[in-house]
Amino acid sequence: MSVPQTVNLQEKFGLFTDQWSPKVVGELNGQQVKIARIAGEFEWHAHEQEDELFMVVRGKLRLKFRNGEAVVNEGELIVVPRGVEHLPIAETDETWIMMFEPASTLNTGNVTSERTVAELARL
Amino acid sequence: MSVPQTVNLQEKFGLFTDQWSPKVVGELNGQQVKIARIAGEFEWHAHEQEDELFMVVRGKLRLKFRNGEAVVNEGELIVVPRGVEHLPIAETDETWIMMFEPASTLNTGNVTSERTVAELARL
């Protein structure tokens, strides 16, 4: 078996420029580690069967919920439980996020739109 | 349902000082997010059923494997597949790590020693 390789997130973020298009940078226990560049507002959605972790690598993520909101700054993380509707927003600058979620998770959850990305690139 | 809360890792690390004693800061999909302060050498072990992700929040983690080694610096991560023996080392300063792994994962894996921590605190 080959030696496990270190993943440098800055380097991985440097490999693409498209926004709202998660890339897979790691897999474990049926879960995936994904990274994405985001800017502006996404769309309301929920994941019926999957809890989702967001961690901010650069910038600031605002998550709107139906009953409130949360702000996630660089070095912070948040877990959105399954079934909870959320709207991700990067208001100011482009924001870089890391996600940890089941491999089955679709970026738009229970909503299918032109922003749905079903086949994720692996970096 | 209450609004999901942001987790600030620096703040969580400030809540304890003991080393090699993972604390749970998040849970999702049967997995846990754990943080630990480490210094010096741990012990060789493997997790037979669990892949394990290490991310370095501060400092430097060296992971020895039977057939090589990897260095993980701040902002980098690594996935150690199940069954792979590894020896975590923080050689220089105290290092702060975050782990993603199944809730069932024991810090010393297949080895039980005085360093085994079975009941993890939640922060």
Side-chain angles (χ1 to χ4, degrees):
Chain A
M1 169 132 205
S2 59
V3 173
Q5 294 296 301
T6 299
V7 174
N8 183 297
L9 292 177
Q10 300 292 325
E11 183 191 313
K12 295 295 186 189
F13 275 107
L15 297 177
F16 64 100
T17 57
D18 53 333
Q19 297 176 334
W20 299 110
S21 182
K23 318 296 181 193
V24 177
V25 298
E27 294 207 65
L28 67 163
N29 307 303
Q31 318 288 307
Q32 287 180 333
V33 184
K34 304 172 184 175
I35 60 174
R37 289 173 177 245
I38 65 172
E41 193 166 304
F42 199 52
E43 53 190 54
W44 281 102
H45 67 281
H47 307 277
E48 292 310 328
Q49 303 296 331
E50 297 123 338
D51 310 320
E52 188 170 34
L53 181 149
F54 296 93
M55 183 168 179
V56 173
V57 176
R58 180 181 292 187
K60 182 200 285 203
L61 171 68
R62 193 151 73 94
L63 281 177
K64 280 194 183 177
F65 305 105
R66 294 299 186 190
N67 59 343
E69 67 170 55
V71 171
V72 189
N73 290 300
E74 208 169 299
E76 295 183 335
L77 60 89
I78 194 168
V79 174
V80 179
R82 61 194 66 189
V84 173
E85 284 187 287
H86 54 286
L87 172 64
I89 305 170
E91 270 171 340
T92 49
D93 297 317
E94 182 181 79
T95 290
W96 294 3
I97 57 173
M98 181 171 76
M99 287 156 288
F100 184 60
E101 56 194 19
S104 57
T105 307
L106 206 58
N107 64 328
T108 52
N110 57 343
V111 177
T112 303
S113 76
E114 79 280 3
R115 305 186 87 163
T116 301
V117 184
E119 296 292 328
L120 305 189
R122 279 154 203 270
L123 303 182
Chain B
M1 169 132 203
S2 59
V3 173
Q5 294 297 302
T6 299
V7 175
N8 182 297
L9 291 178
Q10 301 292 326
E11 183 190 313
K12 295 295 187 191
F13 274 107
L15 298 177
F16 63 100
T17 56
D18 52 334
Q19 298 177 333
W20 300 111
S21 182
K23 317 296 182 194
V24 176
V25 298
E27 293 207 65
L28 68 163
N29 306 302
Q31 317 287 307
Q32 287 180 332
V33 184
K34 303 172 185 175
I35 59 173
R37 291 174 177 244
I38 64 172
E41 193 166 304
F42 198 52
E43 52 190 54
W44 281 102
H45 67 282
H47 306 277
E48 291 311 327
Q49 303 296 332
E50 298 123 339
D51 310 321
E52 189 169 34
L53 181 149
F54 295 92
M55 182 167 180
V56 173
V57 175
R58 179 181 292 186
K60 182 199 286 202
L61 170 67
R62 194 151 72 94
L63 280 177
K64 279 195 185 176
F65 304 107
R66 293 301 186 187
N67 60 342
E69 67 170 55
V71 171
V72 189
N73 290 301
E74 209 169 296
E76 295 182 334
L77 60 89
I78 194 168
V79 175
V80 179
R82 61 194 67 191
V84 173
E85 283 186 288
H86 53 288
L87 172 64
I89 305 170
E91 270 172 338
T92 49
D93 296 318
E94 182 181 78
T95 290
W96 294 2
I97 59 173
M98 182 170 74
M99 289 155 286
F100 285 126
E101 55 195 19
S104 57
T105 306
L106 205 59
N107 65 328
T108 51
N110 58 343
V111 175
T112 302
S113 75
E114 79 279 3
R115 305 186 88 162
T116 300
V117 184
E119 296 293 328
L120 305 189
R122 281 153 203 269
L123 302 182

